[in-house]
Amino acid sequence: APCACDTGGRISDLFSTSNRGGLIGGRGILVQSSSNDVVIENIRFPDSANLGSGVQISWAGPGGNPPATSEHPFNIAVRNIRFGTMTKSGTSFDIAAIDLVGCYNVTVENVYVDRWAGDAVVQVRPGGFGDTVAPAAIKPLLFKNIVVRNVSAKQCDQHCVIVNARANDATGTPANSIPVIIQNVKAVGTGLSSTYAGIRLLHVFDTIIDNCEMEQFDRGVFVEERAKRITIRGGRYFKNNESGVLIVSGATNPEEITVQGVDSYLNGQDGTNKAGFEVEACDKVQFIDCTAGDATSDTTQLHGFRVHSTASNTKFSGVNRVRNIKGGGTKYLFAAAVYGDRQFCGGSNAALDTAANRYAPIVGVGLSAAEVDSSVNSGGTALLLTNFRCKLTVAPGGAASFGLRIIDDGGATALEVAIVGAATTASDFDAVEVAAGSELSVQSLPSGGPASSRGKWSTEVIFI
């Protein structure tokens, strides 16, 4: 049965069920209006086909549309909650295991779900007019200090986490700034049948996604419409149907998005030839120390990093690495200019052949019959590499030396820089210019190379 709280309440050590049907099903625990200083802990929700929300922390108004004013819960702790298999489905914004609606100073932690079939395991939203009619003294407090951490979901039929500042409020002005911290959240989707992102952010500012793992969703993290000042830090996004991390607009571009220290691999499971990291119709996205591709082999991701022509001001910092890609793919596909102090690291675990040259990609797109893992600068403008350094290494057991060459098929032959000797570092090749549409490769020459049965190579290309 539903429970309602006021001030200073505690709900603990319950086994809660619901047999209420209808569009949104039953609520387990509801904390509403100006309820505050409430602790909800050690709650068990068994298997149910009717439960629409386990714990809902929600604003309330006096009636009317819109209401004249509203009241908002605050200082709420929700912890140690366990859900069985919940098969109530729907896309009404109201079916969530933990639903935080127009509240503030709320911590949710230690939640486990066997299966959630509804909108999301956790969602944060204004809910209707849950921010637009709030009293002037309350408005600056709304959505502040919301933390969601240590959530684990064995199966999500839809999303794991949604943060949406316009949820079911098409007419009101969105709150936008919802600075939620989403930390240590791990979930598994439904694999090839999934059409939902694991974590979805839209119309929100200032949210942080920290050390999360999303597996077998349509996309791991989807940052979209109007999102701003978002940080995705650490964690893994893998075995998703499309891209692991996707940043793209519906109408108003997301901007100022930082992706740092994230692993994204074995995505593109449904054969859509997607990327570990993909940005499109967005502005000011920064990648820092991210890794795309599986360490052993990546047979599904066609691209490591993909920057579409509609993305602007994309920046690479630190060391961004691509370990492997699907056959015929590219490690870095840039259809627009990128900038920053950037290091692109790539390579191959393919054997070096004594009968044919091998190539490692630097930037761009494309393979040709003559060049394995070559790349094309397709950004539409010439690329100027200054203070260029390149290092070629051989795995233990390989030959002592072989050649290395920077190839620009669209530029003057004189700009091709040859380097001889294993593990040789060449630096300060200023003004190596690459024309638009050129293929740019680091080429290992077969002369003096290791035997194909044991030789391995990798390259590290650094732009400063």
Side-chain angles (χ1 to χ4, degrees), residues 10-22:
R10 179 182 295 268
I11 301 174
S12 63
D13 305 308
L14 288 181
F15 186 87
S16 179
T17 64
S18 174
N19 62 359
R20 179 183 176 184

Side-chain angles (χ1 to χ4, degrees), residues 52-55 83 93-99 116 118-123:
S53 59
V55 179
F83 294 86
F93 295 108
D94 292 297
I95 305 177
I98 309 293
D99 197 7
W116 191 266
D119 298 300
V121 171
V122 179
Q123 64 179 349

Side-chain angles (χ1 to χ4, degrees), residues 314-441:
T314 305
K315 182 177 181 179
F316 284 79
S317 301
V319 178
N320 293 283
R321 184 180 303 275
V322 180
R323 291 181 291 202
N324 285 288
I325 51 172
K326 181 179 179 179
T330 56
K331 291 182 170 68
Y332 307 98
L333 168 48
F334 298 155
V338 300
Y339 72 101
D341 296 334
R342 55 194 182 269
Q343 300 182 31
F344 302 131
C345 300
S348 172
N349 58 8
L352 238 173
D353 200 325
T354 57
N357 295 344
R358 294 285 186 181
Y359 300 79
I362 300 176
V363 295
V365 61
L367 284 182
S368 66
E371 297 189 346
V372 179
D373 281 352
S374 68
S375 302
V376 173
N377 169 30
S378 59
T381 57
L383 183 68
L384 186 67
L385 313 180
T386 61
N387 212 7
F388 179 87
R389 291 182 292 169
C390 183
K391 182 177 181 180
L392 184 66
T393 59
V394 183
S401 65
F402 49 86
L404 179 69
R405 183 181 295 168
I406 301 166
I407 305 295
D408 173 11
D409 290 341
T413 304
L415 294 178
E416 297 180 1
V417 181
I419 308 164
V420 178
T424 297
T425 300
S427 61
D428 203 25
F429 291 119
D430 289 333
V432 177
E433 185 173 357
V434 184
S438 298
E439 293 186 356
L440 176 64
S441 305

Side-chain angles (χ1 to χ4, degrees), residues 33-90:
S33 301
S34 58
S35 298
N36 59 88
D37 298 312
V38 175
V39 175
I40 302 166
E41 62 182 354
N42 304 330
I43 311 296
R44 172 73 183 272
F45 294 96
D47 297 356
S48 175
N50 300 299
L51 189 72
S53 59
V55 179
Q56 186 177 75
I57 316 297
S58 179
W59 73 280
N65 188 19
T69 186
S70 56
E71 295 181 337
H72 302 264
F74 61 98
N75 296 353
I76 314 293
V78 180
R79 59 194 180 219
N80 303 332
I81 314 294
R82 184 181 178 98
F83 294 86
T85 297
M86 305 295 170
T87 56
K88 178 69 178 177
S89 62

Side-chain angles (χ1 to χ4, degrees), residues 233-316:
R233 186 171 55 207
R236 303 187 302 166
Y237 304 95
F238 59 104
K239 294 185 179 178
N240 297 292
N241 292 337
E242 297 188 20
S243 294
V245 176
L246 175 63
I247 303 168
V248 62
S249 164
T252 304
N253 286 2
E255 60 179 307
E256 297 180 43
I257 315 297
T258 299
V259 186
Q260 182 172 12
V262 173
D263 278 6
S264 184
Y265 55 93
L266 289 172
N267 299 294
Q269 287 285 323
D270 65 358
T272 51
N273 292 334
K274 294 295 184 176
F277 303 91
E278 185 166 6
V279 294
E280 181 178 4
C282 55
D283 189 30
K284 299 184 181 71
V285 175
Q286 179 174 209
F287 293 103
I288 307 172
D289 298 331
C290 293
T291 302
D294 179 58
T296 304
S297 64
D298 205 313
T299 57
T300 59
Q301 269 182 196
L302 191 69
H303 313 292
F305 293 81
R306 183 173 185 181
V307 179
H308 290 255
S309 60
T310 51
S312 58
N313 299 302
T314 305
K315 182 177 181 179
F316 284 79

